Short mmCIF file of all heavy atoms in Angstrom, two decimals:
data_model
loop_
_atom_site.label_atom_id
_atom_site.label_comp_id
_atom_site.label_asym_id
_atom_site.label_seq_id
_atom_site.Cartn_x
_atom_site.Cartn_y
_atom_site.Cartn_z
N ILE X 284 -36.24 89.61 -138.53
CA ILE X 284 -34.92 90.37 -138.41
C ILE X 284 -35.00 91.58 -137.57
O ILE X 284 -34.13 91.85 -136.73
CB ILE X 284 -34.38 90.69 -139.83
CG1 ILE X 284 -34.11 89.48 -140.63
CG2 ILE X 284 -33.10 91.53 -139.81
CD1 ILE X 284 -33.82 89.68 -142.15
N ILE X 285 -36.03 92.33 -137.78
CA ILE X 285 -36.21 93.63 -137.09
C ILE X 285 -36.54 93.46 -135.63
O ILE X 285 -35.99 94.22 -134.77
CB ILE X 285 -37.29 94.44 -137.85
CG1 ILE X 285 -36.80 94.85 -139.24
CG2 ILE X 285 -37.67 95.73 -137.08
CD1 ILE X 285 -37.91 95.34 -140.12
N GLY X 286 -37.35 92.48 -135.26
CA GLY X 286 -37.53 92.17 -133.94
C GLY X 286 -38.41 93.14 -133.12
O GLY X 286 -38.34 93.28 -131.96
N ALA X 287 -39.41 93.82 -133.81
CA ALA X 287 -40.25 94.70 -133.15
C ALA X 287 -41.22 93.93 -132.25
O ALA X 287 -41.49 92.68 -132.56
CB ALA X 287 -41.05 95.58 -134.15
N LYS X 288 -41.72 94.56 -131.22
CA LYS X 288 -42.66 93.87 -130.34
C LYS X 288 -43.94 93.44 -131.09
O LYS X 288 -44.50 92.30 -130.85
CB LYS X 288 -42.98 94.77 -129.11
CG LYS X 288 -43.82 94.10 -128.08
CD LYS X 288 -44.11 95.13 -126.89
CE LYS X 288 -44.95 94.56 -125.80
NZ LYS X 288 -45.19 95.53 -124.67
N HIS X 289 -44.46 94.33 -131.88
CA HIS X 289 -45.56 94.12 -132.65
C HIS X 289 -45.34 94.43 -134.12
O HIS X 289 -44.65 95.40 -134.45
CB HIS X 289 -46.76 94.96 -132.21
CG HIS X 289 -47.19 94.75 -130.78
ND1 HIS X 289 -47.93 93.66 -130.39
CD2 HIS X 289 -47.06 95.48 -129.68
CE1 HIS X 289 -48.18 93.65 -129.14
NE2 HIS X 289 -47.61 94.75 -128.63
N ASN X 290 -45.94 93.55 -134.97
CA ASN X 290 -45.67 93.70 -136.40
C ASN X 290 -47.03 93.80 -137.13
O ASN X 290 -47.94 92.99 -136.90
CB ASN X 290 -44.85 92.59 -136.94
CG ASN X 290 -43.47 92.62 -136.38
OD1 ASN X 290 -42.55 93.29 -136.94
ND2 ASN X 290 -43.14 91.90 -135.33
N ILE X 291 -47.16 94.76 -138.14
CA ILE X 291 -48.33 94.97 -138.73
C ILE X 291 -48.16 95.06 -140.26
O ILE X 291 -47.31 95.78 -140.75
CB ILE X 291 -48.94 96.32 -138.31
CG1 ILE X 291 -49.16 96.33 -136.78
CG2 ILE X 291 -50.18 96.69 -139.04
CD1 ILE X 291 -49.30 97.76 -136.14
N PRO X 292 -48.87 94.20 -141.10
CA PRO X 292 -48.76 94.24 -142.52
C PRO X 292 -49.54 95.44 -143.09
O PRO X 292 -50.66 95.78 -142.59
CB PRO X 292 -49.41 92.96 -143.01
CG PRO X 292 -50.41 92.58 -141.94
CD PRO X 292 -49.82 93.15 -140.70
N TYR X 293 -48.97 96.13 -144.01
CA TYR X 293 -49.63 97.15 -144.74
C TYR X 293 -49.21 97.23 -146.19
O TYR X 293 -48.34 96.44 -146.54
CB TYR X 293 -49.48 98.51 -144.02
CG TYR X 293 -48.38 99.42 -144.22
CD1 TYR X 293 -48.45 100.72 -144.03
CD2 TYR X 293 -47.08 98.87 -144.44
CE1 TYR X 293 -47.39 101.60 -144.15
CE2 TYR X 293 -45.95 99.71 -144.49
CZ TYR X 293 -46.14 101.06 -144.41
OH TYR X 293 -45.00 101.89 -144.51
N HIS X 294 -49.75 98.16 -146.98
CA HIS X 294 -49.46 98.15 -148.42
C HIS X 294 -49.48 96.75 -149.03
O HIS X 294 -48.56 96.17 -149.56
CB HIS X 294 -48.04 98.79 -148.57
CG HIS X 294 -47.81 99.36 -149.96
ND1 HIS X 294 -47.93 98.68 -151.14
CD2 HIS X 294 -47.46 100.62 -150.36
CE1 HIS X 294 -47.50 99.44 -152.15
NE2 HIS X 294 -47.36 100.64 -151.71
N MET X 295 -50.68 96.12 -148.81
CA MET X 295 -50.78 94.71 -149.07
C MET X 295 -51.31 94.28 -150.49
O MET X 295 -51.40 93.14 -150.80
CB MET X 295 -51.71 94.08 -148.06
CG MET X 295 -51.14 93.92 -146.72
SD MET X 295 -52.32 93.25 -145.49
CE MET X 295 -53.13 94.76 -145.12
N GLU X 296 -51.65 95.39 -151.30
CA GLU X 296 -52.32 94.95 -152.57
C GLU X 296 -51.78 96.03 -153.57
O GLU X 296 -51.42 97.10 -153.28
CB GLU X 296 -53.79 94.95 -152.50
CG GLU X 296 -54.41 96.16 -151.70
CD GLU X 296 -54.44 97.38 -152.46
OE1 GLU X 296 -54.72 97.46 -153.67
OE2 GLU X 296 -54.16 98.39 -151.84
N PRO X 297 -51.77 95.57 -154.90
CA PRO X 297 -51.44 96.54 -155.98
C PRO X 297 -52.39 97.74 -155.90
O PRO X 297 -53.61 97.54 -155.64
CB PRO X 297 -51.59 95.76 -157.24
CG PRO X 297 -51.54 94.32 -156.76
CD PRO X 297 -52.07 94.28 -155.39
N VAL X 298 -51.86 98.87 -156.11
CA VAL X 298 -52.66 100.09 -155.97
C VAL X 298 -53.88 100.08 -156.97
O VAL X 298 -54.90 100.66 -156.71
CB VAL X 298 -51.87 101.40 -156.13
CG1 VAL X 298 -51.38 101.45 -157.60
CG2 VAL X 298 -52.59 102.56 -155.77
N LYS X 299 -53.77 99.30 -158.05
CA LYS X 299 -54.86 99.35 -158.99
C LYS X 299 -56.10 98.65 -158.41
O LYS X 299 -57.17 98.80 -158.87
CB LYS X 299 -54.40 98.59 -160.22
CG LYS X 299 -54.12 97.11 -160.08
CD LYS X 299 -53.52 96.53 -161.36
CE LYS X 299 -53.14 94.97 -161.11
NZ LYS X 299 -52.60 94.43 -162.38
N ASP X 300 -55.92 97.87 -157.28
CA ASP X 300 -57.03 97.19 -156.65
C ASP X 300 -57.99 98.16 -156.09
O ASP X 300 -59.15 97.94 -155.97
CB ASP X 300 -56.45 96.19 -155.68
CG ASP X 300 -57.51 95.31 -155.10
OD1 ASP X 300 -58.34 95.86 -154.25
OD2 ASP X 300 -57.53 94.18 -155.26
N LYS X 301 -57.39 99.21 -155.47
CA LYS X 301 -58.14 100.33 -154.90
C LYS X 301 -58.88 99.99 -153.53
O LYS X 301 -59.61 100.80 -153.04
CB LYS X 301 -59.21 100.86 -155.87
CG LYS X 301 -58.63 101.45 -157.13
CD LYS X 301 -57.67 102.62 -156.87
CE LYS X 301 -57.20 103.23 -158.19
NZ LYS X 301 -56.24 104.30 -157.96
N THR X 302 -58.66 98.76 -153.09
CA THR X 302 -59.33 98.44 -151.81
C THR X 302 -58.46 98.95 -150.57
O THR X 302 -59.01 99.19 -149.49
CB THR X 302 -59.51 96.92 -151.60
OG1 THR X 302 -58.23 96.31 -151.56
CG2 THR X 302 -60.37 96.44 -152.74
N GLY X 303 -57.16 98.98 -150.72
CA GLY X 303 -56.30 99.38 -149.65
C GLY X 303 -56.04 98.34 -148.65
O GLY X 303 -55.35 98.53 -147.70
N PHE X 304 -56.60 97.13 -148.96
CA PHE X 304 -56.39 96.15 -147.89
C PHE X 304 -56.64 94.73 -148.47
O PHE X 304 -57.45 94.58 -149.44
CB PHE X 304 -57.42 96.35 -146.78
CG PHE X 304 -57.28 95.27 -145.55
CD1 PHE X 304 -56.16 95.45 -144.69
CD2 PHE X 304 -58.12 94.26 -145.44
CE1 PHE X 304 -55.99 94.63 -143.62
CE2 PHE X 304 -57.97 93.38 -144.38
CZ PHE X 304 -56.91 93.54 -143.52
N ASP X 305 -55.97 93.69 -148.00
CA ASP X 305 -56.21 92.28 -148.48
C ASP X 305 -56.02 91.47 -147.28
O ASP X 305 -54.92 91.14 -146.78
CB ASP X 305 -55.12 91.93 -149.54
CG ASP X 305 -55.36 90.59 -150.17
OD1 ASP X 305 -55.97 89.72 -149.55
OD2 ASP X 305 -54.99 90.45 -151.40
N MET X 306 -57.14 90.90 -146.76
CA MET X 306 -57.14 90.14 -145.51
C MET X 306 -56.40 88.77 -145.75
O MET X 306 -55.73 88.36 -144.71
CB MET X 306 -58.64 89.77 -145.12
CG MET X 306 -58.75 88.96 -143.90
SD MET X 306 -57.92 89.61 -142.41
CE MET X 306 -59.20 90.79 -141.84
N LYS X 307 -56.50 88.21 -146.92
CA LYS X 307 -55.84 86.88 -147.25
C LYS X 307 -54.23 87.15 -147.00
O LYS X 307 -53.62 86.31 -146.42
CB LYS X 307 -56.03 86.36 -148.53
CG LYS X 307 -57.50 85.95 -148.67
CD LYS X 307 -57.83 85.40 -150.05
CE LYS X 307 -59.16 84.93 -150.19
NZ LYS X 307 -59.46 84.35 -151.56
N VAL X 308 -53.71 88.20 -147.49
CA VAL X 308 -52.36 88.53 -147.26
C VAL X 308 -52.05 88.82 -145.90
O VAL X 308 -51.07 88.27 -145.25
CB VAL X 308 -51.92 89.75 -148.13
CG1 VAL X 308 -50.46 90.10 -147.73
CG2 VAL X 308 -52.04 89.35 -149.62
N ALA X 309 -52.85 89.54 -145.26
CA ALA X 309 -52.73 89.90 -143.80
C ALA X 309 -52.64 88.63 -142.91
O ALA X 309 -51.83 88.51 -142.04
CB ALA X 309 -53.74 90.84 -143.32
N GLN X 310 -53.47 87.72 -143.21
CA GLN X 310 -53.53 86.39 -142.45
C GLN X 310 -52.28 85.55 -142.70
O GLN X 310 -51.84 84.83 -141.72
CB GLN X 310 -54.77 85.65 -142.77
CG GLN X 310 -56.09 86.32 -142.14
CD GLN X 310 -57.36 85.68 -142.73
OE1 GLN X 310 -57.41 85.02 -143.71
NE2 GLN X 310 -58.44 85.85 -141.96
N ARG X 311 -51.66 85.72 -143.88
CA ARG X 311 -50.51 84.85 -144.17
C ARG X 311 -49.19 85.49 -143.55
O ARG X 311 -48.13 84.89 -143.51
CB ARG X 311 -50.28 84.79 -145.70
CG ARG X 311 -51.39 83.87 -146.32
CD ARG X 311 -50.91 83.31 -147.74
NE ARG X 311 -50.28 84.30 -148.62
CZ ARG X 311 -51.01 84.99 -149.41
NH1 ARG X 311 -52.38 84.84 -149.59
NH2 ARG X 311 -50.46 85.89 -150.28
N PHE X 312 -49.28 86.83 -143.12
CA PHE X 312 -48.16 87.44 -142.53
C PHE X 312 -47.87 86.84 -141.31
O PHE X 312 -48.76 86.69 -140.39
CB PHE X 312 -48.53 88.96 -142.33
CG PHE X 312 -47.41 89.77 -141.76
CD1 PHE X 312 -46.29 90.04 -142.42
CD2 PHE X 312 -47.59 90.33 -140.50
CE1 PHE X 312 -45.24 90.71 -141.85
CE2 PHE X 312 -46.58 91.09 -139.94
CZ PHE X 312 -45.48 91.31 -140.66
N GLU X 313 -46.58 86.43 -141.01
CA GLU X 313 -46.24 85.58 -139.75
C GLU X 313 -45.08 86.46 -139.11
O GLU X 313 -44.09 86.71 -139.72
CB GLU X 313 -45.70 84.19 -140.18
CG GLU X 313 -46.72 83.31 -140.80
CD GLU X 313 -46.25 81.91 -141.16
OE1 GLU X 313 -45.05 81.74 -140.89
OE2 GLU X 313 -46.93 81.09 -141.68
N ALA X 314 -45.45 86.89 -137.90
CA ALA X 314 -44.48 87.68 -137.20
C ALA X 314 -44.93 87.72 -135.78
O ALA X 314 -46.02 87.61 -135.41
CB ALA X 314 -44.52 89.10 -137.82
N PRO X 315 -43.94 87.95 -134.84
CA PRO X 315 -44.19 88.10 -133.45
C PRO X 315 -45.18 89.30 -133.13
O PRO X 315 -45.04 90.31 -133.83
CB PRO X 315 -42.80 88.42 -132.82
CG PRO X 315 -41.82 87.91 -133.86
CD PRO X 315 -42.42 88.13 -135.22
N GLY X 316 -46.06 89.01 -132.28
CA GLY X 316 -46.98 90.08 -131.86
C GLY X 316 -47.77 90.69 -133.06
O GLY X 316 -48.08 91.86 -133.10
N LYS X 317 -48.16 89.84 -134.00
CA LYS X 317 -48.84 90.34 -135.16
C LYS X 317 -50.15 91.12 -134.87
O LYS X 317 -51.00 90.61 -134.07
CB LYS X 317 -49.13 89.17 -136.16
CG LYS X 317 -49.88 89.63 -137.45
CD LYS X 317 -49.95 88.53 -138.45
CE LYS X 317 -51.25 87.70 -138.20
NZ LYS X 317 -51.48 86.81 -139.35
N ILE X 318 -50.39 92.18 -135.51
CA ILE X 318 -51.65 92.95 -135.37
C ILE X 318 -52.17 93.09 -136.79
O ILE X 318 -51.46 93.60 -137.62
CB ILE X 318 -51.44 94.27 -134.62
CG1 ILE X 318 -50.94 94.02 -133.16
CG2 ILE X 318 -52.78 95.10 -134.61
CD1 ILE X 318 -50.61 95.41 -132.48
N ILE X 319 -53.42 92.83 -137.03
CA ILE X 319 -54.01 93.10 -138.32
C ILE X 319 -54.92 94.37 -138.13
O ILE X 319 -55.83 94.34 -137.29
CB ILE X 319 -54.90 91.93 -138.78
CG1 ILE X 319 -53.99 90.73 -139.11
CG2 ILE X 319 -55.65 92.26 -140.04
CD1 ILE X 319 -54.74 89.52 -139.60
N LEU X 320 -54.68 95.35 -138.90
CA LEU X 320 -55.42 96.60 -138.86
C LEU X 320 -56.20 96.65 -140.34
O LEU X 320 -55.54 96.66 -141.34
CB LEU X 320 -54.59 97.85 -138.70
CG LEU X 320 -53.98 98.02 -137.36
CD1 LEU X 320 -53.11 99.28 -137.34
CD2 LEU X 320 -55.01 98.06 -136.25
N LYS X 321 -57.40 96.81 -140.25
CA LYS X 321 -58.19 97.04 -141.48
C LYS X 321 -58.36 98.54 -141.60
O LYS X 321 -58.40 99.31 -140.60
CB LYS X 321 -59.56 96.46 -141.41
CG LYS X 321 -59.50 94.82 -141.21
CD LYS X 321 -60.85 94.21 -141.15
CE LYS X 321 -61.80 94.65 -140.09
NZ LYS X 321 -61.28 94.28 -138.83
N PRO X 322 -58.59 99.07 -142.86
CA PRO X 322 -58.79 100.52 -142.96
C PRO X 322 -59.93 100.92 -142.10
O PRO X 322 -61.00 100.36 -142.09
CB PRO X 322 -59.18 100.60 -144.48
CG PRO X 322 -58.53 99.49 -145.10
CD PRO X 322 -58.54 98.27 -144.18
N GLY X 323 -59.71 102.05 -141.44
CA GLY X 323 -60.63 102.53 -140.47
C GLY X 323 -60.39 102.10 -138.98
O GLY X 323 -60.97 102.71 -138.07
#
């Protein structure tokens, strides 16, 4: 809907997890120009 050139998933896990990142969720994110950023 938003139509950005690049789309990045973040805030991917419940805060209780404490990892700050979930690669499985990031990989399931489907969007134009997807970029996956890991912490760091």
Side-chain angles (χ1 to χ4, degrees):
I284 292 169
I285 293 165
K288 184 177 180 181
H289 297 288
N290 292 276
I291 302 163
Y293 82 151
H294 203 300
M295 282 176 283
E296 44 76 41
V298 69
K299 63 183 178 182
D300 185 293
K301 299 299 184 186
T302 64
F304 184 76
D305 188 329
M306 179 58 82
K307 291 181 179 179
V308 171
Q310 290 173 336
R311 292 203 308 272
F312 181 66
E313 297 179 1
K317 180 173 90 170
I318 297 172
I319 294 177
L320 293 179
K321 302 184 296 296

